[in-house]
Amino acid sequence: MTSIHDVAKAAGVSISTVSYALSGNRPVSENTRSRIEAAVRELGYQPNAGARMLAGRRTHIFALTEPLRPDTHAPTHMAFVLATSVAARKRGYDILLLTDEQASAGMSRVTASDLVDAVLVLDVAPDDERVAIARSIRTPTIFIGIPDDSEGLHCVDLDFHGAGSLAVDRLVHAGHRSIALIGQASLAYQRSNFPRRLLNGFEARAEERGVDHSFSASGETVTDPRAVRRAVETALDDGASALVVHAADDVHEIALAVLAERGLAVGTDISVLSAGASFDTANLSAAVDTIPLIPQLSCDLAVDLAVRSLEESLTPSVHLIPPEYREVGSVAPPRLG
Amino acid sequence: MTSIHDVAKAAGVSISTVSYALSGNRPVSENTRSRIEAAVRELGYQPNAGARMLAGRRTHIFALTEPLRPDTHAPTHMAFVLATSVAARKRGYDILLLTDEQASAGMSRVTASDLVDAVLVLDVAPDDERVAIARSIRTPTIFIGIPDDSEGLHCVDLDFHGAGSLAVDRLVHAGHRSIALIGQASLAYQRSNFPRRLLNGFEARAEERGVDHSFSASGETVTDPRAVRRAVETALDDGASALVVHAADDVHEIALAVLAERGLAVGTDISVLSAGASFDTANLSAAVDTIPLIPQLSCDLAVDLAVRSLEESLTPSVHLIPPEYREVGSVAPPRLG
DNA sequence: TTGAAAGCGTTACCAT
DNA sequence: ATGGTAACGCTTTCAA
């Protein structure tokens, strides 16, 4: 393998100058720098990772811990992994994957061996066992998601509570007085707490505004088409003029199908709003206003916090990303019954 | 951080003895070994990763390259990532994730910097650009999947051709003379070549056995419920007495629903066989015989090849995993029309 | 069976 | 603006 010595020799400088030229930690004359860069390109030099870790203070690797349980919603999850990986790479970091039992055990292991500079935690459970581990290690740890007890932790997530409130606000502002929320499968309300945060925001604001509201899960453990149909039909029968959907794409489709069957046109006869969806709602069979969950936003921020906490001492806190509203015309004043 | 010196001091031995005791590269007296182990436990010692990489010849990390394209089937993919990660960990390796553009560029980068001991390639395309990279690097590379040109590469995959043949054999043996294959969405036949390998095996054996056969994709880019319905209905109308399904779970469900609507009982009025599925077919609404795609089998073998190629020079070759048949009673002799 | 010490390829401090 | 060199914490050869 070609080493820093080869580059130094080729450029006619010392190895320290090469090191500084590459790291930018010391000014290097333009002339020297370009000779070094030429040598680097010519030789295809890449610094040895092990040596860099040992001598420097950085491994340039982040651990990404994700249990990958059987009930994990794969598409959403994949979006977060991809977003994390892209965000990390933008800052010069690689991602070391910790799954399954290693999601927890690996955290202690790779931090104790100084394999990673920081840990990013995905798929956070309310009583996540990785919380205790995070508190026991010295390596900066960022949660993408919020456990019940977030004391002393760095957390990043969409403001689901705010998203629930915003949904109600928009619908009430359009004139709706009876709103139904179709949520996730019941199991999701135990596995994570973001579904409940959205629900809480929805209910609190609906109470405040004094509008009728209802909530139904979209199944027990996974999407149950019959449960979704029933939920939508009941909501309509009870006079709801607007639907908020916080669930996977298939739930949206089923709901839209029921509306279509009833001859209700979205954005005219009935208002529909998707909240907290990480998939592209533009692919749904009808255009719907969306308060999206954007993985790249959370993951960019998480990586940014990780990088910054390597340079300064950050005060732990929960970072809530403000919900944003994307209007495409699926919300209109209610049809008078 | 606690280092090997601390352990050596605590155990009253030299650091080399500690190193040997932990690596097992040299016999160490039982007495000494236990004192060292006690010290390791007491101090919570973990060898520094960077130092280990630099001094030793191993990083104990494998790169896992997966593009994660938007059309990747997330659940299947997740199963392979999990299986790879588990397999690697069993052999003492961690997984470094290379996604997106880094799936290719990262391969050169992390191998040139000696960050990984081997590369595992997932989601292999027929004309995968990672093939050229694999040929250009010295780091052992194992493909989980088979590109069109596999010359000089280590590849591991289910024998999809054999799976297609086996499906036909079982059905013909049961007496069927007209068989329909419901395959993946058309796009999948361009993105990868395993769907076609199964199709080829199916068609070749059906020709050999002289039975009627047909093939339909389950959509254009993704599952299209109407396309699946049409395919099943057409097959039935054309007299097919058995269905082979090589597709995602939703396609299975739609097909089973059509059969149910027609009042056809699976395993009695109609035979159904699932081939190349990586999800648990036991969760389908009807029990079906299965020739499964088992990620753990491919990934264990891939990791094994990776580990072995670090110790000896392996001759590159394509390893096809023999298909296995799981019978639950969905295949029976055809009902006489 | 054990120890001493020479690297491994960087980074960063101390000189010049 | 640049160079020399001591760490960094381990593995492994060479000695005993």
Side-chain angles (χ1 to χ4, degrees), chain B residues 4-28:
Chain B
I4 197 171
H5 288 97
D6 304 319
V7 177
K9 193 177 305 173
V13 296
S14 71
I15 64 163
S16 51
T17 300
V18 174
S19 177
Y20 285 120
L22 294 181
S23 68
N25 288 339
R26 188 166 87 173
V28 170

Side-chain angles (χ1 to χ4, degrees), chain A residues 60-261:
Chain A
H60 296 99
I61 300 177
F62 287 154
L64 180 65
T65 150
E66 43 163 8
L68 288 187
R69 306 190 210 80
D71 58 291
T72 300
H73 187 247
T76 301
H77 196 78
M78 209 175 88
F80 274 89
V81 170
L82 183 56
T84 305
S85 159
V86 168
R89 199 56 219 139
K90 278 193 288 203
R91 304 309 232 44
Y93 284 83
D94 276 304
I95 291 293
L96 190 91
L97 205 61
L98 300 175
T99 63
D100 207 55
E101 35 157 39
Q102 287 297 309
S104 296
M107 269 178 80
S108 308
R109 185 172 54 79
V110 304
T111 54
S113 65
D114 271 327
L115 217 197
V116 304
D117 293 331
V119 179
L120 303 170
V121 182
L122 232 48
D123 213 343
V124 179
D127 60 340
D128 207 297
E129 61 180 5
R130 291 168 297 177
V131 167
I133 300 177
R135 292 193 172 116
S136 75
I137 62 183
R138 298 157 37 91
T139 310
T141 304
I142 318 289
F143 286 75
I144 301 177
I146 309 177
D148 282 346
D149 174 11
S150 62
E151 181 62 34
L153 305 179
H154 297 275
C155 302
V156 172
D157 207 356
L158 170 65
D159 180 359
F160 279 95
H161 188 97
S165 306
L166 176 56
V168 172
D169 282 342
R170 296 290 297 226
L171 293 171
V172 168
H173 183 257
H176 295 273
R177 307 292 307 164
S178 179
I179 307 175
L181 171 62
I182 311 293
Q184 314 237 323
S186 300
L187 181 62
Y189 289 80
Q190 295 161 233
R191 286 274 189 257
S192 311
N193 62 24
F194 69 86
R196 176 152 292 283
R197 280 152 50 208
L198 188 138
L199 173 56
N200 288 345
F202 172 86
E203 290 182 331
R205 188 55 58 91
E207 295 289 341
E208 255 177 69
R209 300 296 207 116
V211 299
D212 283 348
H213 61 275
S214 69
F215 164 73
S216 318
S218 53
E220 285 301 318
T221 58
V222 295
T223 298
D224 174 355
R226 280 166 312 192
V228 177
R229 297 192 75 88
R230 203 180 318 123
V232 175
E233 283 167 352
T234 302
L236 295 175
D237 293 343
D238 288 353
S241 59
L243 244 49
V244 176
V245 183
H246 177 210
D249 54 353
D250 53 356
V251 174
H252 285 73
E253 290 297 6
I254 297 165
L256 292 173
V258 172
L259 300 179
E261 282 168 19

Side-chain angles (χ1 to χ4, degrees), chain A residues 14 16-17 26-27 29 32 54-55:
Chain A
S14 73
S16 48
T17 300
R26 189 166 86 173
S29 78
T32 308
L54 184 55

Side-chain angles (χ1 to χ4, degrees), chain A residues 202-323:
Chain A
F202 172 86
E203 290 182 331
R205 188 55 58 91
E207 295 289 341
E208 255 177 69
R209 300 296 207 116
V211 299
D212 283 348
H213 61 275
S214 69
F215 164 73
S216 318
S218 53
E220 285 301 318
T221 58
V222 295
T223 298
D224 174 355
R226 280 166 312 192
V228 177
R229 297 192 75 88
R230 203 180 318 123
V232 175
E233 283 167 352
T234 302
L236 295 175
D237 293 343
D238 288 353
S241 59
L243 244 49
V244 176
V245 183
H246 177 210
D249 54 353
D250 53 356
V251 174
H252 285 73
E253 290 297 6
I254 297 165
L256 292 173
V258 172
L259 300 179
E261 282 168 19
R262 293 222 177 178
L264 297 173
V266 171
T268 309
D269 307 314
I270 181 96
S271 291
V272 177
L273 197 167
S274 172
S278 61
F279 62 90
D280 188 354
T281 53
N283 292 328
L284 292 174
S285 53
V288 298
D289 285 16
T290 303
I291 299 172
L293 166 60
I294 308 171
Q296 200 65 64
L297 246 37
S298 301
C299 297
D300 277 343
L301 178 51
V303 165
D304 190 57
L305 289 172
V307 171
R308 279 166 49 199
S309 66
L310 295 177
E311 291 155 357
E312 45 183 318
S313 176
L314 293 187
T315 305
S317 74
V318 174
H319 299 255
L320 293 178
I321 296 175

Side-chain angles (χ1 to χ4, degrees), chain B residues 37-55:
Chain B
E37 280 167 359
V40 165
R41 256 194 308 280
E42 183 124 0
L43 300 171
Y45 169 70
Q46 283 281 1
N48 177 281
R52 226 151 75 109
M53 292 186 197
L54 185 56

